[in-house]
Amino acid sequence: MDVLELDGVELAVDRRGPDGAPALLLIAGGGQSMDWWTPEFCDQLGAGELQVIRYDHRDTGQSSTSAPGQPDYTGDDLATDPLRILDTLGIADAHLVGMSMGGGIAQSIAVRAPSRVRSLTLVETSPAGGDHGELPPPTPELAATWAEPEPEIDWSDEAAVIDYRVDVERPFAGPLGLDEARVRALATREVRRSRNMASTMANHFIAEPGNPVDPAEIRVPTLVLHSIDDPLFPFPHGEALTRAIPGARLLRLEGVGHEIPPPAVWNVVIPALRKHLTA
């Protein structure tokens, strides 16, 4: 893992696979470090034929942080960070896989810098703009959790922060449920290597949003992965994306929630992604 200094911002980057191979850049969701793209997932996806790159957004992991509640960047800054990374690594273009907020970032890059994008995969996300009609809100069960008072967290208490990080994921799980042991291991890894978890859990969601882009302008091969059980962006969001992007294909998942595909569906997701990436 390397920490790159780009225009005064530090971004932690991990590369796996052969140098010089086609690049695949994984873009995590809001409040997620690179840890949620596990090494096992990356290695199976790359299969020794792709250079798989994951990174920590600002305010996650080992990347630059701002004070909790005071993000010193905008959504447009987050959306240009992947290009800064590719520039620094000397990579002309890459396959992009974006989850949730990362899917919005990937759409932005595909519209604004299409020559940098080999293909696009959009996971559990929503159109980043355009005329997509009315889309359903989050499920009432998920929305109800946002009305609950925020717990008082002692951010210096590692065990308490790990418990909180796991609890944050619970409402986003699908019918397959939360894999407690796996999610706790990921949360533990993230907490132990993050500079400031209080910033991680707050700042992306209060930063000034990036400018919208119309996914109908995307002209690169696109695969949409969306679960019928996503509680944050219900399935019609994935359908709307697929309709908007010329030639896009939709892979319907079942049982998972609003999450990076867990191992329970890798037998479906990884072959589909491999086919898309190597077409």
Side-chain angles (χ1 to χ4, degrees), residues 40-269:
E40 296 80 10
F41 180 81
C42 295
D43 290 344
Q44 290 189 39
L45 197 53
E49 299 172 352
L50 298 172
Q51 181 182 181
V52 182
I53 303 166
R54 54 187 185 144
Y55 73 100
D56 290 328
H57 291 294
R58 304 183 195 208
D59 272 328
T60 74
Q62 285 293 300
S63 291
S64 291
T65 64
S66 42
Q70 302 176 50
D72 57 3
Y73 51 82
T74 68
D76 282 331
D77 292 320
L78 294 176
T80 53
D81 283 343
L83 294 177
R84 294 185 180 98
I85 290 170
L86 295 179
D87 288 343
T88 302
L89 297 178
I91 295 172
D93 53 31
H95 301 281
L96 302 183
V97 178
M99 152 70 186
S100 193
M101 181 188 82
I105 289 172
Q107 292 174 61
S108 176
I109 295 171
V111 170
R112 293 177 175 151
S115 65
R116 308 299 301 274
V117 183
R118 287 179 174 238
S119 75
L120 200 59
T121 302
L122 304 173
V123 184
E124 310 296 351
T125 190
S126 186
D131 182 12
H132 47 69
E134 186 173 352
L135 293 172
T139 63
E141 294 80 8
L142 177 60
T145 67
W146 300 334
E148 299 171 359
E150 279 292 311
E152 292 289 333
I153 303 296
D154 177 357
W155 296 101
S156 66
D157 182 342
E158 180 183 276
V161 176
I162 292 169
D163 285 344
Y164 174 64
R165 188 68 184 92
V166 174
D167 287 342
V168 165
E169 295 300 314
R170 293 188 195 283
F172 294 94
L176 289 174
L178 186 80
D179 183 338
E180 181 84 24
R182 177 176 181 270
V183 170
R184 184 166 294 277
L186 291 174
T188 299
R189 186 182 308 158
E190 180 177 58
V191 169
R192 288 180 176 170
R193 55 175 295 276
S194 292
R195 295 186 183 185
N196 192 328
M197 282 300 297
S199 297
T200 296
M201 301 312 297
N203 286 355
H204 287 172
F205 309 105
I206 58 175
E208 179 185 333
N211 291 311
V213 296
D214 186 350
E217 297 179 22
I218 294 172
R219 293 295 183 270
V220 299
T222 301
L223 176 65
V224 177
L225 300 181
H226 213 102
S227 174
I228 63 170
D229 301 301
D230 186 327
L232 181 63
F233 294 133
F235 191 64
H237 290 251
E239 293 179 309
L241 264 178
T242 308
R243 287 193 303 270
I245 301 171
R249 294 183 298 112
L250 173 63
L251 176 60
R252 166 183 166 138
L253 303 177
E254 297 185 14
V256 298
H258 188 76
E259 57 189 320
I260 290 172
V265 293
W266 285 2
N267 64 323
V268 173
V269 168

